[in-house]
Amino acid sequence: PSHLWDTSHEGHCQRTFLGHSNAVRDITFSNDGRRFLSAGYDEQIKLWDTETGACLAAQSFHGVPVCVRFHPDLEHVFLAGMDDRRIVQFDLNADQITQEYNEHQGAVNTITFVDMNRRFVSTSDDKSLRAWDYDITEPHQAGSRSSYAFEAVSYLASLTSVACLSNDEQLHLCVLG
């Protein structure tokens, strides 16, 4: 189950969200916080109402969604990084996959929107970072490689760069072209 905690007071659990048949791997909130997506090892991504706890939609995928991100400007669209190398773009209004990005050679670990949300970067178990123009299936930039997979990414808008943390205890600064 997923839990929503009240951190402003005594840290009480506000709500438990039940619905996945296996562990939850990742979540992402909409900009207004009213909805969130959960990605589970049961190969499903579920859309939840934060306030009521209702599951609004569920979508099954062939493969485990490792990471999931709402598009910051299009809250009916999300990207999911899959364990089978794909990045899936899904439109909740149309209830269908609208694009797939297939250049990684391993599970996709992170997706981070950059450049005023016109692009995103992804990292993978293949130890690479790739920059993509949103809605274009060829990577804009093949990006950096590391001795280890990048596990966390943060966008530095003022430098048009991303900071990437890898398992080799190093922080990499990657300039986006």
Side-chain angles (χ1 to χ4, degrees), residues 11 23 30 37 45 48 63-65 74-75 90 93 97 100 107 112 114 118 124 137 141 151 165 171:
S30 62
L37 294 166
I45 295 178
W48 302 89
V64 174
L74 306 170
E75 290 193 358
F90 193 88
N93 291 345
I97 294 172
E100 286 191 20
T112 307
V114 299
R118 293 186 299 245
S124 168
T137 60
Q141 182 177 343
E151 297 295 327
L165 180 65
L171 183 65

Side-chain angles (χ1 to χ4, degrees), residues 64-69 79-83 86-88 107-109 111:
V64 174
V66 176
C67 61
V68 62
R69 293 293 169 265
L79 299 180
M82 307 297 291
D83 69 342
R86 296 177 298 144
I87 299 170
V88 175
V108 178
N109 296 322
I111 296 171

Side-chain angles (χ1 to χ4, degrees), residues 49-108:
D49 183 294
T50 306
E51 185 66 30
T52 67
C55 181
L56 304 173
Q59 181 63 42
S60 294
F61 290 88
H62 299 290
V64 174
V66 176
C67 61
V68 62
R69 293 293 169 265
F70 270 113
H71 188 292
D73 298 328
L74 306 170
E75 290 193 358
H76 64 283
V77 173
F78 67 83
L79 299 180
M82 307 297 291
D83 69 342
D84 65 358
R85 312 174 342 177
R86 296 177 298 144
I87 299 170
V88 175
Q89 181 178 309
F90 193 88
D91 186 316
L92 290 163
N93 291 345
D95 195 32
Q96 67 182 2
I97 294 172
T98 56
Q99 193 72 268
E100 286 191 20
Y101 308 84
N102 292 306
E103 293 292 320
H104 281 295
Q105 300 303 311
V108 178

